[in-house]
Amino acid sequence: MRTRAAVLRGLNEKWNVEEIELDPPKHGEVLVKLAASGLCHSDEHVLTGDLAGACPGPPVIGGHEGSGVVVETGEGVDWLEPGDHVIFGFIPACGRCTWCASGHSNLCEQAITFTTGMQLGDGTSRHHTLDGLDLGLMCLLGTFAEHTVVNEASCIKIDEGWPLDKACLLGCGVVTGWGSAVYTGDVQPGDYVAVVGAGGIGSNAIQGARMAGARVITAIDPVAFKREMATTFGATHTFASMDDAMGAMADTTWGRGYDKVIMTMGVGDAESVGKAFWLGGKRAKIIITNLHPTSEMNLQVPAVMLTLFEKSIVGSLFGSANIRKDIPRLFELYLQGQLDLDHLVTKTYSLDEINEGYEAMRQGENIRGVILYD
Ligand SMILES: NC(=O)c1ccc[n+]([C@@H]2O[C@H](COP(=O)([O-])OP(=O)(O)OC[C@H]3O[C@@H](n4cnc5c(N)ncnc54)[C@H](O)[C@@H]3O)[C@@H](O)[C@H]2O)c1
Ligand SMILES: [Zn+2]
Ligand SMILES: [Zn+2]
């Protein structure tokens, strides 16, 4: 069939919305009509080349935060049928590997074709340009398209009554941010928590810290609108920079330093990790959720202070979450009024307006921009 997709043809070019050729689903695959897709910062890293080597490069269909409706299932898919509503996990969860079985499906071993963006089952592509090039898929999904074909391991079936325009946010940003605080950070009642970068991911780290019972939640972001929204999500204090937050630490943490510092800036950098290290107090955990460019190879922290203050620096992928458990659970928390998804969506776009949506992200105008499909 033919469908339309936003294709990155070259680094630092615009997303090109074009007709593509889409093959039918093969064994273990599913054809899905997209309902909505969030505009996460990680696709921007693909565009700039910051994720070179870790994610497929051009030509690639972007998008990894999506929801939609199953149109057709390939051979061997016996738990999904046409009409089912699904959210995609940006990392597949096979349910059978060591990591899935031990409660860490965010590290699923089956994600072997992640770097090429080809199908999990046979390493080939279902998506092609009209001039015959195979297209890679961001996170094996390619949600910047009206239709896509993905492996069943990427699908989470959800209740048909759940609004798909909000559901897409659970495919990356909400689970990643919330889990960075609740799972990776293990925020405890009474903790002092700092969240550095209050965008799509950081806003959910703030919500996670709030729900886990943090005593102080400091949101740090240079953009006034982000700081204002951060208080809606549960921040108790806001600062425009890490330096400002450092200067106020005597008041905000009674001079003890933060128990958890969660890094959710647009682009991670070594210097900021150095500052985060000093925002943290004794036994502090510095959680690195934002992605640093793959070219950056060194962090500098005073190693002796890791020992003397028992600090730790830890990475967080997809919030250390288990999507088959956590996606439905978080959606139920939304329906119950405990988790705010509504204020996360600042503006919606059509697929053709995707470059406008990313420009708004660069300008700091959106918590999340979301593409809505017909
Ligand atoms: N680890 C994972 O599993 C995972 C998943 C999704 C996204 N990410 C990464 O998380 C990061 C955040 O993504 P997002 O979609 O929320 O991006 P975003 O652009 O929506 O938000 C980033 C925020 O950081 C702020 N910021 C920029 N420089 C800052 C600084 N020096 N100090 C404080 N704040 C600063 C921006 O103003 C913005 O509000 C990106 O690097 C993204 O690739 C990681
Ligand atoms: Zn993402
Ligand atoms: Zn697995």
Side-chain angles (χ1 to χ4, degrees):
M1 66 179 282
R2 290 220 170 150
T3 191
R4 291 168 76 249
V7 176
L8 186 70
R9 290 272 187 164
L11 290 184
N12 292 307
E13 290 182 9
K14 291 197 166 177
W15 294 101
N16 189 46
V17 180
E18 57 186 72
E19 269 214 316
I20 63 157
E21 198 71 53
L22 185 59
D23 300 338
K26 289 194 179 173
H27 189 274
E29 296 169 0
V30 189
L31 169 64
V32 175
K33 183 180 188 306
L34 270 295
S37 174
L39 301 176
C40 177
H41 205 114
S42 297
D43 297 287
E44 177 78 351
H45 292 302
V46 172
L47 185 143
T48 61
D50 275 353
L51 275 180
C55 284
V60 59
I61 302 178
H64 63 279
E65 192 179 80
S67 60
V69 181
V70 174
V71 176
E72 186 185 338
T73 56
E75 208 186 307
V77 180
D78 57 9
W79 62 284
L80 285 172
E81 54 186 45
D84 281 349
H85 289 197
V86 290
I87 296 176
F88 300 129
F90 84 82
I91 295 173
C94 76
R96 289 186 291 269
C97 73
T98 306
W99 294 105
C100 284
S102 60
H104 303 284
S105 77
N106 62 317
L107 299 172
C108 178
E109 253 165 31
Q110 289 298 304
I112 38 179
T113 54
F114 207 79
T115 53
T116 62
M118 297 290 135
Q119 293 289 331
L120 274 185
D122 64 2
T124 64
S125 178
R126 304 294 160 265
H127 303 66
H128 320 279
T129 63
L130 294 189
D131 46 339
L133 292 174
D134 284 348
L135 287 159
L137 302 179
M138 176 58 167
C139 299
L140 309 171
L141 299 173
T143 63
F144 297 160
E146 290 170 356
H147 299 82
T148 191
V149 170
V150 304
N151 195 277
E152 59 181 327
S154 300
C155 298
I156 309 294
K157 186 173 161 177
I158 59 166
D159 200 294
E160 275 173 36
W162 294 357
L164 285 166
D165 58 337
K166 299 291 174 347
C168 70
L169 303 168
L170 276 293
C172 175
V174 175
V175 175
T176 298
W178 189 88
S180 294
V182 174
Y183 293 138
T184 322
D186 192 25
V187 171
Q188 297 292 312
D191 270 359
Y192 308 130
V193 178
V195 176
V196 185
I201 309 293
S203 300
N204 291 296
I206 292 167
Q207 297 207 72
R210 187 197 77 226
M211 288 166 73
R215 175 179 181 182
V216 166
I217 305 173
T218 292
I220 301 168
D221 200 295
V223 179
F225 163 67
K226 304 293 177 93
R227 297 198 297 276
E228 189 188 313
M229 290 304 294
T231 58
T232 308
F233 295 119
T236 57
H237 301 71
T238 63
F239 296 98
S241 70
M242 297 175 85
D243 291 335
D244 289 355
M246 188 84 71
M249 222 143 64
D251 288 336
T252 45
T253 71
W254 285 262
R256 292 176 194 137
Y258 290 92
D259 297 301
K260 312 285 154 65
V261 183
I262 307 174
M263 301 301 288
T264 50
M265 294 163 28
V267 185
D269 69 79
E271 194 189 336
S272 300
V273 175
K275 290 183 181 180
F277 186 85
W278 290 114
L279 280 175
K282 290 186 177 176
R283 305 212 84 231
K285 235 183 190 185
I286 317 297
I287 298 110
I288 312 286
T289 300
N290 51 209
L291 294 169
H292 290 233
T294 47
S295 57
E296 192 183 58
M297 300 304 280
N298 289 304
L299 293 180
Q300 284 202 336
V301 293
V304 70
M305 300 310 289
L306 276 176
T307 311
L308 297 182
F309 282 3
E310 285 199 344
K311 297 193 187 194
S312 52
I313 300 178
V314 61
S316 178
L317 181 66
F318 213 164
S320 309
N322 278 289
I323 51 174
R324 296 192 189 286
K325 177 186 90 181
D326 289 309
I327 285 182
R329 189 161 76 135
L330 283 165
F331 210 91
E332 283 159 16
L333 287 167
Y334 163 64
L335 296 174
Q336 216 199 7
Q338 294 205 51
L339 182 77
D340 185 353
L341 299 182
D342 297 329
H343 287 101
L344 292 174
V345 184
T346 313
K347 196 167 176 201
T348 60
Y349 301 89
S350 67
L351 180 61
D352 292 296
E353 292 168 332
I354 182 169
N355 292 300
E356 202 182 297
Y358 269 107
E359 190 49 35
M361 186 202 74
R362 290 177 202 120
Q363 299 303 324
E365 292 166 12
N366 291 344
I367 298 295
R368 257 299 186 261
V370 169
I371 294 175
L372 295 183
Y373 298 93
D374 295 332

